[in-house]
Amino acid sequence: EADLSELGLTNRCISTVKTVASAVASGALDLYRFAGLDDLVAGYCELSGIGPWTAQMAAIRLHRHPDAFPTSDLGIRKAGAVLLAQTELPSAGQMEELSHTWQPHRTVATQLLWTMLAQEENHEQ
């Protein structure tokens, strides 16, 4: 019930934060009882305002899951284009397919792709 309006968040983001907080407080979302990555992502995606990207990011940042991979992340897709030496961004599906070779350590691959992209962008400047 806290007033989050002064945090600089959009109304939609505030609503999502409150939805997640309510789900955790009520026990509807138990942050410690997931039966693997698919279950974890599905549990988050059941909440209003949470989609696959956010759920994968929660898996990486909050749960420290070793095999999370946000396939729709723009940075991941840009790094994928560099990695694949193509001018067009690969689709989330193409990134998912590519990521299978990195299992069960796709979170490390995520970090490396973000680092690679940052280095590529710094090199261009």
Side-chain angles (χ1 to χ4, degrees):
E1 295 183 26
D3 179 11
L4 304 179
S5 62
E6 294 184 24
L7 295 178
L9 302 172
T10 64
N11 288 337
R12 183 176 177 192
C13 188
I14 289 171
S15 176
T16 300
V17 167
K18 288 184 174 192
T19 296
V20 172
S22 293
V24 171
S26 72
L29 178 64
D30 184 341
L31 298 177
Y32 302 102
R33 298 197 185 259
F34 290 105
L37 181 61
D38 291 340
D39 187 44
L40 186 147
V41 170
Y44 276 99
C45 287
E46 288 177 1
L47 302 174
S48 177
I50 304 287
W53 181 87
T54 304
Q56 290 285 339
M57 293 303 293
I60 290 170
R61 302 286 189 207
L62 300 175
H63 299 274
R64 298 181 184 198
H65 195 285
D67 199 37
F69 191 76
T71 59
S72 64
D73 183 81
L74 183 58
I76 293 294
R77 293 177 59 217
K78 284 181 178 181
V82 172
L83 186 66
L84 298 169
Q86 59 188 50
T87 55
E88 291 186 27
L89 292 180
S91 69
Q94 289 171 310
M95 290 307 300
E96 177 69 30
E97 185 176 320
L98 179 63
S99 77
H100 290 295
T101 61
W102 303 320
Q103 286 180 306
H105 305 290
R106 294 184 303 166
T107 296
V108 172
T110 298
Q111 299 294 336
L112 289 172
L113 288 169
W114 283 331
T115 299
M116 184 183 85
L117 178 64
Q119 290 175 346
E120 186 74 19
E121 288 175 349
N122 286 337
H123 180 68
E124 291 174 2
Q125 295 176 356

